[in-house]
PDB file of all heavy atoms in Angstrom:
ATOM      1  N   GLN A1261     -11.927  -4.127 -17.613  1.00  0.00           N
ATOM      2  CA  GLN A1261     -11.369  -4.858 -16.515  1.00  0.00           C
ATOM      3  C   GLN A1261     -10.173  -4.149 -15.972  1.00  0.00           C
ATOM      4  O   GLN A1261      -9.447  -3.363 -16.719  1.00  0.00           O
ATOM      5  CB  GLN A1261     -10.922  -6.238 -17.026  1.00  0.00           C
ATOM      6  CG  GLN A1261     -10.288  -7.149 -15.986  1.00  0.00           C
ATOM      7  CD  GLN A1261      -8.759  -7.062 -15.991  1.00  0.00           C
ATOM      8  OE1 GLN A1261      -8.146  -6.660 -16.980  1.00  0.00           O
ATOM      9  NE2 GLN A1261      -8.100  -7.500 -14.915  1.00  0.00           N
ATOM     10  N   VAL A1262      -9.850  -4.270 -14.647  1.00  0.00           N
ATOM     11  CA  VAL A1262      -8.705  -3.559 -14.063  1.00  0.00           C
ATOM     12  C   VAL A1262      -7.973  -4.510 -13.064  1.00  0.00           C
ATOM     13  O   VAL A1262      -8.598  -5.424 -12.480  1.00  0.00           O
ATOM     14  CB  VAL A1262      -9.225  -2.345 -13.341  1.00  0.00           C
ATOM     15  CG1 VAL A1262     -10.022  -2.659 -12.079  1.00  0.00           C
ATOM     16  CG2 VAL A1262      -8.053  -1.389 -13.000  1.00  0.00           C
ATOM     17  N   THR A1263      -6.695  -4.249 -13.033  1.00  0.00           N
ATOM     18  CA  THR A1263      -5.841  -5.031 -12.046  1.00  0.00           C
ATOM     19  C   THR A1263      -5.070  -4.005 -11.188  1.00  0.00           C
ATOM     20  O   THR A1263      -4.395  -3.124 -11.735  1.00  0.00           O
ATOM     21  CB  THR A1263      -4.862  -5.954 -12.747  1.00  0.00           C
ATOM     22  OG1 THR A1263      -5.569  -6.957 -13.462  1.00  0.00           O
ATOM     23  CG2 THR A1263      -3.977  -6.661 -11.724  1.00  0.00           C
ATOM     24  N   LEU A1264      -5.258  -4.122  -9.879  1.00  0.00           N
ATOM     25  CA  LEU A1264      -4.533  -3.264  -8.942  1.00  0.00           C
ATOM     26  C   LEU A1264      -3.545  -4.162  -8.164  1.00  0.00           C
ATOM     27  O   LEU A1264      -3.779  -5.303  -7.895  1.00  0.00           O
ATOM     28  CB  LEU A1264      -5.521  -2.617  -7.966  1.00  0.00           C
ATOM     29  CG  LEU A1264      -6.745  -1.971  -8.564  1.00  0.00           C
ATOM     30  CD1 LEU A1264      -7.606  -1.369  -7.456  1.00  0.00           C
ATOM     31  CD2 LEU A1264      -6.330  -0.934  -9.546  1.00  0.00           C
ATOM     32  N   ARG A1265      -2.374  -3.535  -7.847  1.00  0.00           N
ATOM     33  CA  ARG A1265      -1.345  -4.276  -7.242  1.00  0.00           C
ATOM     34  C   ARG A1265      -0.905  -3.760  -5.874  1.00  0.00           C
ATOM     35  O   ARG A1265      -1.023  -2.526  -5.641  1.00  0.00           O
ATOM     36  CB  ARG A1265      -0.121  -4.355  -8.171  1.00  0.00           C
ATOM     37  CG  ARG A1265      -0.418  -5.089  -9.455  1.00  0.00           C
ATOM     38  CD  ARG A1265       0.801  -5.130 -10.405  1.00  0.00           C
ATOM     39  NE  ARG A1265       0.468  -5.982 -11.538  1.00  0.00           N
ATOM     40  CZ  ARG A1265      -0.264  -5.599 -12.617  1.00  0.00           C
ATOM     41  NH1 ARG A1265      -0.750  -4.341 -12.715  1.00  0.00           N
ATOM     42  NH2 ARG A1265      -0.518  -6.463 -13.605  1.00  0.00           N
ATOM     43  N   CYS A1266      -0.403  -4.659  -5.046  1.00  0.00           N
ATOM     44  CA  CYS A1266      -0.046  -4.291  -3.668  1.00  0.00           C
ATOM     45  C   CYS A1266       1.179  -5.067  -3.244  1.00  0.00           C
ATOM     46  O   CYS A1266       1.213  -6.350  -3.441  1.00  0.00           O
ATOM     47  CB  CYS A1266      -1.223  -4.641  -2.725  1.00  0.00           C
ATOM     48  SG  CYS A1266      -0.852  -4.480  -0.995  1.00  0.00           S
ATOM     49  N   SER A1267       2.160  -4.381  -2.655  1.00  0.00           N
ATOM     50  CA  SER A1267       3.280  -5.108  -2.087  1.00  0.00           C
ATOM     51  C   SER A1267       3.189  -4.946  -0.563  1.00  0.00           C
ATOM     52  O   SER A1267       3.092  -3.877  -0.042  1.00  0.00           O
ATOM     53  CB  SER A1267       4.566  -4.470  -2.557  1.00  0.00           C
ATOM     54  OG  SER A1267       4.769  -4.785  -3.922  1.00  0.00           O
ATOM     55  N   SER A1268       3.263  -6.062   0.127  1.00  0.00           N
ATOM     56  CA  SER A1268       3.119  -6.077   1.577  1.00  0.00           C
ATOM     57  C   SER A1268       4.332  -5.492   2.297  1.00  0.00           C
ATOM     58  O   SER A1268       5.422  -5.417   1.729  1.00  0.00           O
ATOM     59  CB  SER A1268       2.955  -7.541   2.098  1.00  0.00           C
ATOM     60  OG  SER A1268       1.817  -8.161   1.480  1.00  0.00           O
ATOM     61  N   GLN A1269       4.078  -5.036   3.518  1.00  0.00           N
ATOM     62  CA  GLN A1269       5.170  -4.648   4.374  1.00  0.00           C
ATOM     63  C   GLN A1269       6.041  -5.897   4.611  1.00  0.00           C
ATOM     64  O   GLN A1269       5.559  -7.029   4.737  1.00  0.00           O
ATOM     65  CB  GLN A1269       4.604  -4.098   5.636  1.00  0.00           C
ATOM     66  CG  GLN A1269       5.698  -3.589   6.636  1.00  0.00           C
ATOM     67  CD  GLN A1269       5.101  -2.765   7.752  1.00  0.00           C
ATOM     68  OE1 GLN A1269       4.191  -1.889   7.492  1.00  0.00           O
ATOM     69  NE2 GLN A1269       5.528  -2.949   8.909  1.00  0.00           N
TER      70      GLN A1269
END
Side-chain angles (χ1 to χ4, degrees):
Chain A
Q1261 178 266 341
V1262 70
T1263 298
L1264 310 182
R1265 294 179 174 82
C1266 171
S1267 291
S1268 301
Q1269 183 166 315

